[in-house]
Amino acid sequence: MREAVIVTVRGRVQGVGFRPFVYRLSKQLHLAGTVQNNMDGVRIVWEGKAAAIHEGVRRLRSDKPRLSRVDALSAVPRKTSGLTDFRIVASDRGGKSTLVIPVDSAVCDDCLREMRDPTNFRYRYPFINCTQCGPRYTIIEALPYDRPYTSMKDFAMCRRCAAEYRDPFNRRYHAQPIACDACGPHLSFLDMDGAVRGMREEALADAVRLLASGGIVAVKGIGGFHLACDAANAASVAALRKRKGRPAKPLAVMVRDVRTARQFVFVSTEEEKVLRSPEAPIVLLRKKADCSRYLAETVAPGIRTVGVMLPYTPLHHLLFDDGPYDCLVMTSANPSGLPILSEDDHALSYLRGIADSILTHNRRILHAIDDSVVRINDAAPFFLRRARGYVPDPIATQAPVDGIVALGSQMKNTFAIGRGNQIFVGPHLGDLSAEESRAHYRRTLAHLMTWTGIRLRAVAVDAHPLYSTRAIADELGTRQMKVQHHHAHLVSCMADNNITAPCYGLILDGTGYGSDGKTWGFELLYGNASGFRRLAHLRYTPLPGSDRAVLEPWRNAAAMLITLLGDRGFSLAGRLFSDHRSALPIIAKMINRGVNCPQAGTCGRLFDAVSAILGLCEVSTYDGEAAIRLSECCEPNVAAEPYPFMITGDALKEIDMTPALAAIAADRLNGRPVSKISTRFHATVVEACCSLVRRSAARYPEFGRRVMLSGGSFNNIHLAKQIFQKLTDEGFHVYTHHRLPCGDGGLSFGQLTVAAQKLAVTPIAGRL
Ligand code: ZN
Ligand code: ZN
Ligand code: FE
């Protein structure tokens, strides 16, 4: 008995080899019909034996291509129409721009096997790839994703590659970056004057030799250059730090394989899965007690974790296949505060005096992108940086967001673009202070706006008058909508969890421009995309010298002590910061006169101050260092008594940490162990947050019991875990981020959602 069905598959099913997969599956199962991409996903018509159709539907999920993701699948019976053959038919796009922008993917096992097979014609070819792996986003010039619109247009396919490209039964059917040594890109080894010292195998051998002997090599990857050196070689790591002017910032490493990683870090099943995934991000893993054979102490000094990734390009694998080292430092090659380097001439000029040589290739990177960074929390990935492998995979929304662009924050920037019911969050672009960074931002935004084919209707922008995004918004020349920073954080977390009804937002953050012109960042809000109400915040204290107090946490600590404790605070500051004693009267004067002393109540600055008081970080050498050092010496899973604090105010509550700071300073001066003080301080912040929520819930029972946790301070795993646990124990429903970072990397997503609500955009007929 012949039957017929129409199967619709939604999810990531376009540009990932799904149609050829369906074609091969249909042939195997003797099913006739068609497969077609349409605006909804992939549409399959099948005719054949009922059992074969049943089996086909099952295997659409179980055998799906590596890079695909099936979100929904429906099979509806229809009348048979006597089909006899199976065909791939042209896409039904109604003339609209192609939706799919494929993401870069780590090399697959099939390609690796071929690369290591001496009988294969791509044996040891560093750019081997197929429909299931290789570069995508980074090589696309224009859509649709097709070879002439990628940087692979520089290479004419040889006969062998072309034959595979055209064969629907081949793994490389329509693999746009298909290449081999005869026709594709090749390696070059450059000295720092730009002279080519070797090509192909010779270039690789030179690089391996230099790495093995302790040198620093800039290696061109998928999204840009890395600076690489042997992670076990303390002298090399020290040289890299010295030359880069990076005394303490933790460096990521690339390790030969998971088995080797287990020698020096703990790897859970879930962490292994993410390490091995096609997205191949950097995963933060806990170091083992003795890891010095693999990792010089200076790779992540004073920190319990280290960022680890696996080799994700064929070239990376060759570097490990040929080299004696097991673990390489692989840190983004970017000049401080500037985007990652992706072109040879920039690498040559910026890395002079830093790298010893450059291992590059002639496949152009059109869109630089950093490695993604995740941590696994309770079996789910938690993004610290969302970039390569994930961008620009869109996130589905409940409400239409068409034509809205959100510009994000000043630091840890990402932008977001709304199209139909999807939000495309752009790559991590970092700090926008430098002109080069803003130029990179403009280019990246313009490309993604063109690719998504949106008609711009509105732009959402942070309310801070001095953010660089304000000027960019003016350039876009459309309706602007200002979104308060912490409101955007709250809504980002809500949208991340598909929640729309008003709820609490506990927002712990570094810096954000408040509605009263003060610097906010320790907030209890209540609201949703339509608006918010501020219920509580940390008492404001002055930041003498503004940015300088951020870079030098001891200034901020001194200001807090002086402001909150008066003369007693002044003398405490003198004892705690004896090196800076002569500067204290000036700071006191600045505070008294209110000169260049913006008022701030932020969690980030509070952590900075305590870190400085404990002598952990008086001057910061990288963003977030003081807070990270403080959290690193917190004893995990230890219950500690909170320090005393006060909550004042009525409708708008204020947390006053004066007694806590006095006690912390006293404990420090009395020589109590820093780890004990840090643990108690964490418990204090946890208790302060929970009591705010608790009191508010008692006062406003109608507000419900849902709490969003957002803001960059939730990158602090102790803080995040303890607040989550305590509020959950008290009967609240607590939500965190899981598809976007909790910090400013997730801000644009919230801004866009707020703007969409304000616009109440109506869906445009016929568009997704
Ligand atoms: Zn492959
Ligand atoms: Zn070829
Ligand atoms: Fe923020």
Side-chain angles (χ1 to χ4, degrees), residues 486 506-510 519-524 534 536-539 601-604 606-607 653 655 657 681 684-686 688-689 692 723:
H486 304 95
L506 183 58
I507 317 296
L508 303 181
D509 200 14
T519 302
W520 294 11
F522 194 128
E523 311 298 318
L524 180 65
R534 192 185 198 202
H537 69 93
L538 181 67
R539 180 176 165 186
T602 96
C603 186
L606 180 65
F607 268 75
K653 303 263 184 238
I655 312 149
M657 288 287 179
F681 169 68
T684 312
V685 174
V686 172
C689 290
L692 287 178
I723 291 178

PDB file of all heavy atoms in Angstrom, residues 486 506-510 519-524 534 536-539 601-604 606-607 653 655 657 681 684-686 688-689 692 723:
ATOM      1  N   HIS A 486      19.718  48.880  33.016  1.00  0.00           N
ATOM      2  CA  HIS A 486      19.336  47.720  33.837  1.00  0.00           C
ATOM      3  C   HIS A 486      17.954  47.209  33.486  1.00  0.00           C
ATOM      4  O   HIS A 486      17.654  46.033  33.695  1.00  0.00           O
ATOM      5  CB  HIS A 486      19.488  48.069  35.321  1.00  0.00           C
ATOM      6  CG  HIS A 486      20.879  48.539  35.611  1.00  0.00           C
ATOM      7  ND1 HIS A 486      21.212  49.869  35.635  1.00  0.00           N
ATOM      8  CD2 HIS A 486      22.026  47.847  35.779  1.00  0.00           C
ATOM      9  CE1 HIS A 486      22.517  49.985  35.826  1.00  0.00           C
ATOM     10  NE2 HIS A 486      23.037  48.772  35.923  1.00  0.00           N
ATOM     11  N   LEU A 506      16.722  41.209  39.667  1.00  0.00           N
ATOM     12  CA  LEU A 506      17.830  41.520  40.559  1.00  0.00           C
ATOM     13  C   LEU A 506      19.039  41.705  39.645  1.00  0.00           C
ATOM     14  O   LEU A 506      19.533  40.736  39.071  1.00  0.00           O
ATOM     15  CB  LEU A 506      18.023  40.374  41.546  1.00  0.00           C
ATOM     16  CG  LEU A 506      19.091  40.551  42.605  1.00  0.00           C
ATOM     17  CD1 LEU A 506      18.847  41.782  43.464  1.00  0.00           C
ATOM     18  CD2 LEU A 506      19.162  39.321  43.478  1.00  0.00           C
ATOM     19  N   ILE A 507      19.456  42.955  39.478  1.00  0.00           N
ATOM     20  CA  ILE A 507      20.479  43.260  38.483  1.00  0.00           C
ATOM     21  C   ILE A 507      21.753  43.707  39.195  1.00  0.00           C
ATOM     22  O   ILE A 507      21.792  44.780  39.816  1.00  0.00           O
ATOM     23  CB  ILE A 507      20.016  44.369  37.508  1.00  0.00           C
ATOM     24  CG1 ILE A 507      18.559  44.165  37.070  1.00  0.00           C
ATOM     25  CG2 ILE A 507      20.963  44.448  36.317  1.00  0.00           C
ATOM     26  CD1 ILE A 507      18.284  42.912  36.279  1.00  0.00           C
ATOM     27  N   LEU A 508      22.763  42.854  39.129  1.00  0.00           N
ATOM     28  CA  LEU A 508      24.054  43.164  39.748  1.00  0.00           C
ATOM     29  C   LEU A 508      25.058  43.349  38.623  1.00  0.00           C
ATOM     30  O   LEU A 508      25.276  42.454  37.826  1.00  0.00           O
ATOM     31  CB  LEU A 508      24.476  42.033  40.687  1.00  0.00           C
ATOM     32  CG  LEU A 508      23.471  41.699  41.804  1.00  0.00           C
ATOM     33  CD1 LEU A 508      24.011  40.585  42.684  1.00  0.00           C
ATOM     34  CD2 LEU A 508      23.128  42.927  42.641  1.00  0.00           C
ATOM     35  N   ASP A 509      25.690  44.538  38.606  1.00  0.00           N
ATOM     36  CA  ASP A 509      26.329  44.973  37.386  1.00  0.00           C
ATOM     37  C   ASP A 509      27.512  45.865  37.719  1.00  0.00           C
ATOM     38  O   ASP A 509      27.681  46.294  38.855  1.00  0.00           O
ATOM     39  CB  ASP A 509      25.268  45.780  36.617  1.00  0.00           C
ATOM     40  CG  ASP A 509      25.583  45.899  35.153  1.00  0.00           C
ATOM     41  OD1 ASP A 509      26.457  45.163  34.690  1.00  0.00           O
ATOM     42  OD2 ASP A 509      24.939  46.728  34.492  1.00  0.00           O
ATOM     43  N   GLY A 510      28.314  46.152  36.710  1.00  0.00           N
ATOM     44  CA  GLY A 510      29.426  47.063  36.911  1.00  0.00           C
ATOM     45  C   GLY A 510      28.976  48.507  36.876  1.00  0.00           C
ATOM     46  O   GLY A 510      29.034  49.227  37.871  1.00  0.00           O
ATOM     47  N   THR A 519      25.171  56.561  38.608  1.00  0.00           N
ATOM     48  CA  THR A 519      25.625  55.277  38.087  1.00  0.00           C
ATOM     49  C   THR A 519      24.962  54.145  38.874  1.00  0.00           C
ATOM     50  O   THR A 519      25.195  54.013  40.071  1.00  0.00           O
ATOM     51  CB  THR A 519      27.156  55.182  38.175  1.00  0.00           C
ATOM     52  OG1 THR A 519      27.712  56.267  37.431  1.00  0.00           O
ATOM     53  CG2 THR A 519      27.663  53.878  37.604  1.00  0.00           C
ATOM     54  N   TRP A 520      24.136  53.373  38.199  1.00  0.00           N
ATOM     55  CA  TRP A 520      23.429  52.266  38.836  1.00  0.00           C
ATOM     56  C   TRP A 520      24.195  50.960  38.617  1.00  0.00           C
ATOM     57  O   TRP A 520      25.056  50.867  37.760  1.00  0.00           O
ATOM     58  CB  TRP A 520      22.033  52.093  38.242  1.00  0.00           C
ATOM     59  CG  TRP A 520      21.071  53.213  38.477  1.00  0.00           C
ATOM     60  CD1 TRP A 520      21.344  54.458  38.986  1.00  0.00           C
ATOM     61  CD2 TRP A 520      19.663  53.191  38.189  1.00  0.00           C
ATOM     62  NE1 TRP A 520      20.192  55.202  39.028  1.00  0.00           N
ATOM     63  CE2 TRP A 520      19.159  54.455  38.544  1.00  0.00           C
ATOM     64  CE3 TRP A 520      18.795  52.234  37.666  1.00  0.00           C
ATOM     65  CZ2 TRP A 520      17.793  54.780  38.377  1.00  0.00           C
ATOM     66  CZ3 TRP A 520      17.458  52.552  37.508  1.00  0.00           C
ATOM     67  CH2 TRP A 520      16.959  53.811  37.865  1.00  0.00           C
ATOM     68  N   GLY A 521      23.803  49.942  39.372  1.00  0.00           N
ATOM     69  CA  GLY A 521      24.421  48.647  39.143  1.00  0.00           C
ATOM     70  C   GLY A 521      24.212  47.661  40.286  1.00  0.00           C
ATOM     71  O   GLY A 521      24.860  46.616  40.339  1.00  0.00           O
ATOM     72  N   PHE A 522      23.326  47.996  41.226  1.00  0.00           N
ATOM     73  CA  PHE A 522      22.969  47.047  42.283  1.00  0.00           C
ATOM     74  C   PHE A 522      21.492  47.314  42.513  1.00  0.00           C
ATOM     75  O   PHE A 522      21.115  48.094  43.374  1.00  0.00           O
ATOM     76  CB  PHE A 522      23.797  47.320  43.548  1.00  0.00           C
ATOM     77  CG  PHE A 522      23.772  46.222  44.576  1.00  0.00           C
ATOM     78  CD1 PHE A 522      24.961  45.705  45.091  1.00  0.00           C
ATOM     79  CD2 PHE A 522      22.568  45.691  45.035  1.00  0.00           C
ATOM     80  CE1 PHE A 522      24.947  44.682  46.043  1.00  0.00           C
ATOM     81  CE2 PHE A 522      22.545  44.685  45.991  1.00  0.00           C
ATOM     82  CZ  PHE A 522      23.740  44.184  46.494  1.00  0.00           C
ATOM     83  N   GLU A 523      20.654  46.685  41.698  1.00  0.00           N
ATOM     84  CA  GLU A 523      19.266  47.128  41.559  1.00  0.00           C
ATOM     85  C   GLU A 523      18.294  45.987  41.794  1.00  0.00           C
ATOM     86  O   GLU A 523      18.505  44.871  41.331  1.00  0.00           O
ATOM     87  CB  GLU A 523      19.027  47.636  40.119  1.00  0.00           C
ATOM     88  CG  GLU A 523      20.069  48.621  39.597  1.00  0.00           C
ATOM     89  CD  GLU A 523      20.131  49.892  40.411  1.00  0.00           C
ATOM     90  OE1 GLU A 523      19.056  50.406  40.782  1.00  0.00           O
ATOM     91  OE2 GLU A 523      21.251  50.357  40.708  1.00  0.00           O
ATOM     92  N   LEU A 524      17.210  46.321  42.492  1.00  0.00           N
ATOM     93  CA  LEU A 524      16.048  45.445  42.437  1.00  0.00           C
ATOM     94  C   LEU A 524      14.977  46.196  41.660  1.00  0.00           C
ATOM     95  O   LEU A 524      14.510  47.249  42.091  1.00  0.00           O
ATOM     96  CB  LEU A 524      15.535  45.068  43.838  1.00  0.00           C
ATOM     97  CG  LEU A 524      14.306  44.143  43.785  1.00  0.00           C
ATOM     98  CD1 LEU A 524      14.641  42.791  43.178  1.00  0.00           C
ATOM     99  CD2 LEU A 524      13.679  43.967  45.166  1.00  0.00           C
ATOM    100  N   ARG A 534      11.833  50.948  39.993  1.00  0.00           N
ATOM    101  CA  ARG A 534      13.013  50.653  40.800  1.00  0.00           C
ATOM    102  C   ARG A 534      12.578  50.497  42.248  1.00  0.00           C
ATOM    103  O   ARG A 534      11.984  51.411  42.822  1.00  0.00           O
ATOM    104  CB  ARG A 534      13.998  51.808  40.665  1.00  0.00           C
ATOM    105  CG  ARG A 534      15.388  51.522  41.205  1.00  0.00           C
ATOM    106  CD  ARG A 534      16.228  52.782  41.127  1.00  0.00           C
ATOM    107  NE  ARG A 534      17.646  52.509  41.227  1.00  0.00           N
ATOM    108  CZ  ARG A 534      18.540  53.426  41.607  1.00  0.00           C
ATOM    109  NH1 ARG A 534      18.150  54.656  41.897  1.00  0.00           N
ATOM    110  NH2 ARG A 534      19.819  53.119  41.669  1.00  0.00           N
ATOM    111  N   ALA A 536      14.765  49.025  44.807  1.00  0.00           N
ATOM    112  CA  ALA A 536      15.866  49.121  45.772  1.00  0.00           C
ATOM    113  C   ALA A 536      17.192  49.279  45.039  1.00  0.00           C
ATOM    114  O   ALA A 536      17.319  48.883  43.875  1.00  0.00           O
ATOM    115  CB  ALA A 536      15.914  47.869  46.639  1.00  0.00           C
ATOM    116  N   HIS A 537      18.140  49.863  45.746  1.00  0.00           N
ATOM    117  CA  HIS A 537      19.492  49.971  45.172  1.00  0.00           C
ATOM    118  C   HIS A 537      20.521  50.121  46.283  1.00  0.00           C
ATOM    119  O   HIS A 537      20.177  50.398  47.437  1.00  0.00           O
ATOM    120  CB  HIS A 537      19.567  51.159  44.209  1.00  0.00           C
ATOM    121  CG  HIS A 537      19.480  52.505  44.870  1.00  0.00           C
ATOM    122  ND1 HIS A 537      20.585  53.222  45.253  1.00  0.00           N
ATOM    123  CD2 HIS A 537      18.401  53.252  45.216  1.00  0.00           C
ATOM    124  CE1 HIS A 537      20.204  54.367  45.811  1.00  0.00           C
ATOM    125  NE2 HIS A 537      18.888  54.407  45.801  1.00  0.00           N
ATOM    126  N   LEU A 538      21.761  49.976  45.901  1.00  0.00           N
ATOM    127  CA  LEU A 538      22.871  50.176  46.835  1.00  0.00           C
ATOM    128  C   LEU A 538      23.067  51.673  47.054  1.00  0.00           C
ATOM    129  O   LEU A 538      23.000  52.456  46.100  1.00  0.00           O
ATOM    130  CB  LEU A 538      24.149  49.572  46.241  1.00  0.00           C
ATOM    131  CG  LEU A 538      25.417  49.670  47.085  1.00  0.00           C
ATOM    132  CD1 LEU A 538      25.302  48.813  48.343  1.00  0.00           C
ATOM    133  CD2 LEU A 538      26.630  49.222  46.260  1.00  0.00           C
ATOM    134  N   ARG A 539      23.317  52.054  48.309  1.00  0.00           N
ATOM    135  CA  ARG A 539      23.551  53.464  48.619  1.00  0.00           C
ATOM    136  C   ARG A 539      24.696  54.005  47.760  1.00  0.00           C
ATOM    137  O   ARG A 539      25.725  53.354  47.595  1.00  0.00           O
ATOM    138  CB  ARG A 539      23.898  53.577  50.108  1.00  0.00           C
ATOM    139  CG  ARG A 539      24.156  54.993  50.540  1.00  0.00           C
ATOM    140  CD  ARG A 539      24.393  55.057  52.038  1.00  0.00           C
ATOM    141  NE  ARG A 539      24.978  56.355  52.376  1.00  0.00           N
ATOM    142  CZ  ARG A 539      25.402  56.675  53.586  1.00  0.00           C
ATOM    143  NH1 ARG A 539      25.331  55.794  54.571  1.00  0.00           N
ATOM    144  NH2 ARG A 539      25.910  57.864  53.812  1.00  0.00           N
ATOM    145  N   GLY A 601      26.274  53.456  42.781  1.00  0.00           N
ATOM    146  CA  GLY A 601      25.898  52.359  43.673  1.00  0.00           C
ATOM    147  C   GLY A 601      25.867  51.091  42.855  1.00  0.00           C
ATOM    148  O   GLY A 601      24.823  50.700  42.355  1.00  0.00           O
ATOM    149  N   THR A 602      27.019  50.482  42.672  1.00  0.00           N
ATOM    150  CA  THR A 602      27.057  49.308  41.799  1.00  0.00           C
ATOM    151  C   THR A 602      27.727  48.118  42.488  1.00  0.00           C
ATOM    152  O   THR A 602      28.622  48.293  43.327  1.00  0.00           O
ATOM    153  CB  THR A 602      27.799  49.575  40.453  1.00  0.00           C
ATOM    154  OG1 THR A 602      29.159  49.135  40.554  1.00  0.00           O
ATOM    155  CG2 THR A 602      27.757  51.033  40.054  1.00  0.00           C
ATOM    156  N   CYS A 603      27.295  46.953  42.119  1.00  0.00           N
ATOM    157  CA  CYS A 603      27.849  45.730  42.686  1.00  0.00           C
ATOM    158  C   CYS A 603      29.318  45.582  42.289  1.00  0.00           C
ATOM    159  O   CYS A 603      30.156  45.208  43.099  1.00  0.00           O
ATOM    160  CB  CYS A 603      27.036  44.530  42.191  1.00  0.00           C
ATOM    161  SG  CYS A 603      27.521  42.993  42.966  1.00  0.00           S
ATOM    162  N   GLY A 604      29.614  45.900  41.041  1.00  0.00           N
ATOM    163  CA  GLY A 604      30.987  45.787  40.556  1.00  0.00           C
ATOM    164  C   GLY A 604      31.942  46.633  41.378  1.00  0.00           C
ATOM    165  O   GLY A 604      33.014  46.177  41.783  1.00  0.00           O
ATOM    166  N   LEU A 606      31.452  47.777  44.395  1.00  0.00           N
ATOM    167  CA  LEU A 606      31.506  47.270  45.766  1.00  0.00           C
ATOM    168  C   LEU A 606      32.517  46.121  45.865  1.00  0.00           C
ATOM    169  O   LEU A 606      33.339  46.070  46.790  1.00  0.00           O
ATOM    170  CB  LEU A 606      30.107  46.805  46.193  1.00  0.00           C
ATOM    171  CG  LEU A 606      29.990  46.235  47.606  1.00  0.00           C
ATOM    172  CD1 LEU A 606      30.292  47.309  48.645  1.00  0.00           C
ATOM    173  CD2 LEU A 606      28.594  45.655  47.853  1.00  0.00           C
ATOM    174  N   PHE A 607      32.467  45.225  44.904  1.00  0.00           N
ATOM    175  CA  PHE A 607      33.443  44.127  44.876  1.00  0.00           C
ATOM    176  C   PHE A 607      34.861  44.668  44.717  1.00  0.00           C
ATOM    177  O   PHE A 607      35.791  44.195  45.375  1.00  0.00           O
ATOM    178  CB  PHE A 607      33.116  43.142  43.754  1.00  0.00           C
ATOM    179  CG  PHE A 607      32.240  42.007  44.197  1.00  0.00           C
ATOM    180  CD1 PHE A 607      30.885  42.204  44.432  1.00  0.00           C
ATOM    181  CD2 PHE A 607      32.766  40.736  44.412  1.00  0.00           C
ATOM    182  CE1 PHE A 607      30.073  41.163  44.856  1.00  0.00           C
ATOM    183  CE2 PHE A 607      31.964  39.692  44.851  1.00  0.00           C
ATOM    184  CZ  PHE A 607      30.619  39.902  45.071  1.00  0.00           C
ATOM    185  N   LYS A 653      13.973  51.337  48.535  1.00  0.00           N
ATOM    186  CA  LYS A 653      14.881  50.911  49.606  1.00  0.00           C
ATOM    187  C   LYS A 653      16.331  51.166  49.215  1.00  0.00           C
ATOM    188  O   LYS A 653      16.687  51.163  48.029  1.00  0.00           O
ATOM    189  CB  LYS A 653      14.731  49.403  49.848  1.00  0.00           C
ATOM    190  CG  LYS A 653      13.326  48.990  50.196  1.00  0.00           C
ATOM    191  CD  LYS A 653      13.182  48.869  51.690  1.00  0.00           C
ATOM    192  CE  LYS A 653      11.820  48.365  52.061  1.00  0.00           C
ATOM    193  NZ  LYS A 653      11.126  49.327  52.949  1.00  0.00           N
ATOM    194  N   ILE A 655      20.286  49.871  50.252  1.00  0.00           N
ATOM    195  CA  ILE A 655      21.144  48.979  51.036  1.00  0.00           C
ATOM    196  C   ILE A 655      22.358  49.779  51.436  1.00  0.00           C
ATOM    197  O   ILE A 655      23.011  50.385  50.587  1.00  0.00           O
ATOM    198  CB  ILE A 655      21.638  47.779  50.211  1.00  0.00           C
ATOM    199  CG1 ILE A 655      20.486  47.140  49.462  1.00  0.00           C
ATOM    200  CG2 ILE A 655      22.353  46.754  51.072  1.00  0.00           C
ATOM    201  CD1 ILE A 655      20.951  46.527  48.174  1.00  0.00           C
ATOM    202  N   MET A 657      25.967  49.439  53.149  1.00  0.00           N
ATOM    203  CA  MET A 657      26.985  48.456  53.528  1.00  0.00           C
ATOM    204  C   MET A 657      27.997  49.038  54.530  1.00  0.00           C
ATOM    205  O   MET A 657      29.049  48.434  54.748  1.00  0.00           O
ATOM    206  CB  MET A 657      27.713  47.947  52.282  1.00  0.00           C
ATOM    207  CG  MET A 657      26.881  47.020  51.416  1.00  0.00           C
ATOM    208  SD  MET A 657      26.711  45.384  52.210  1.00  0.00           S
ATOM    209  CE  MET A 657      25.670  44.546  51.009  1.00  0.00           C
ATOM    210  N   PHE A 681      31.921  38.080  52.941  1.00  0.00           N
ATOM    211  CA  PHE A 681      31.438  39.195  52.123  1.00  0.00           C
ATOM    212  C   PHE A 681      30.433  38.692  51.076  1.00  0.00           C
ATOM    213  O   PHE A 681      29.375  39.300  50.859  1.00  0.00           O
ATOM    214  CB  PHE A 681      32.605  39.924  51.447  1.00  0.00           C
ATOM    215  CG  PHE A 681      32.156  40.895  50.395  1.00  0.00           C
ATOM    216  CD1 PHE A 681      31.450  42.048  50.753  1.00  0.00           C
ATOM    217  CD2 PHE A 681      32.381  40.655  49.042  1.00  0.00           C
ATOM    218  CE1 PHE A 681      30.993  42.943  49.784  1.00  0.00           C
ATOM    219  CE2 PHE A 681      31.932  41.544  48.077  1.00  0.00           C
ATOM    220  CZ  PHE A 681      31.238  42.686  48.452  1.00  0.00           C
ATOM    221  N   THR A 684      27.254  38.171  52.588  1.00  0.00           N
ATOM    222  CA  THR A 684      26.601  39.451  52.893  1.00  0.00           C
ATOM    223  C   THR A 684      25.801  39.956  51.691  1.00  0.00           C
ATOM    224  O   THR A 684      24.645  40.360  51.818  1.00  0.00           O
ATOM    225  CB  THR A 684      27.669  40.506  53.278  1.00  0.00           C
ATOM    226  OG1 THR A 684      28.554  39.935  54.234  1.00  0.00           O
ATOM    227  CG2 THR A 684      27.020  41.760  53.830  1.00  0.00           C
ATOM    228  N   VAL A 685      26.451  39.933  50.522  1.00  0.00           N
ATOM    229  CA  VAL A 685      25.758  40.405  49.317  1.00  0.00           C
ATOM    230  C   VAL A 685      24.557  39.500  49.030  1.00  0.00           C
ATOM    231  O   VAL A 685      23.469  39.978  48.687  1.00  0.00           O
ATOM    232  CB  VAL A 685      26.735  40.440  48.114  1.00  0.00           C
ATOM    233  CG1 VAL A 685      25.998  40.791  46.829  1.00  0.00           C
ATOM    234  CG2 VAL A 685      27.848  41.450  48.369  1.00  0.00           C
ATOM    235  N   VAL A 686      24.741  38.200  49.208  1.00  0.00           N
ATOM    236  CA  VAL A 686      23.648  37.252  48.972  1.00  0.00           C
ATOM    237  C   VAL A 686      22.483  37.571  49.908  1.00  0.00           C
ATOM    238  O   VAL A 686      21.327  37.684  49.478  1.00  0.00           O
ATOM    239  CB  VAL A 686      24.135  35.800  49.193  1.00  0.00           C
ATOM    240  CG1 VAL A 686      22.967  34.823  49.155  1.00  0.00           C
ATOM    241  CG2 VAL A 686      25.189  35.425  48.153  1.00  0.00           C
ATOM    242  N   ALA A 688      21.839  40.372  51.503  1.00  0.00           N
ATOM    243  CA  ALA A 688      21.258  41.682  51.194  1.00  0.00           C
ATOM    244  C   ALA A 688      20.273  41.560  50.025  1.00  0.00           C
ATOM    245  O   ALA A 688      19.147  42.060  50.091  1.00  0.00           O
ATOM    246  CB  ALA A 688      22.366  42.681  50.855  1.00  0.00           C
ATOM    247  N   CYS A 689      20.693  40.870  48.979  1.00  0.00           N
ATOM    248  CA  CYS A 689      19.830  40.707  47.801  1.00  0.00           C
ATOM    249  C   CYS A 689      18.561  39.950  48.171  1.00  0.00           C
ATOM    250  O   CYS A 689      17.452  40.352  47.800  1.00  0.00           O
ATOM    251  CB  CYS A 689      20.567  39.944  46.706  1.00  0.00           C
ATOM    252  SG  CYS A 689      21.893  40.898  45.964  1.00  0.00           S
ATOM    253  N   LEU A 692      16.077  41.920  50.234  1.00  0.00           N
ATOM    254  CA  LEU A 692      15.341  42.916  49.438  1.00  0.00           C
ATOM    255  C   LEU A 692      14.160  42.264  48.728  1.00  0.00           C
ATOM    256  O   LEU A 692      13.043  42.780  48.741  1.00  0.00           O
ATOM    257  CB  LEU A 692      16.253  43.547  48.387  1.00  0.00           C
ATOM    258  CG  LEU A 692      17.309  44.529  48.873  1.00  0.00           C
ATOM    259  CD1 LEU A 692      18.131  45.012  47.686  1.00  0.00           C
ATOM    260  CD2 LEU A 692      16.652  45.711  49.576  1.00  0.00           C
ATOM    261  N   ILE A 723      22.797  33.006  45.378  1.00  0.00           N
ATOM    262  CA  ILE A 723      21.543  33.774  45.297  1.00  0.00           C
ATOM    263  C   ILE A 723      20.451  32.888  44.697  1.00  0.00           C
ATOM    264  O   ILE A 723      19.318  32.865  45.188  1.00  0.00           O
ATOM    265  CB  ILE A 723      21.744  35.065  44.472  1.00  0.00           C
ATOM    266  CG1 ILE A 723      22.640  36.036  45.246  1.00  0.00           C
ATOM    267  CG2 ILE A 723      20.401  35.721  44.155  1.00  0.00           C
ATOM    268  CD1 ILE A 723      22.945  37.331  44.527  1.00  0.00           C
TER     269      ILE A 723
END
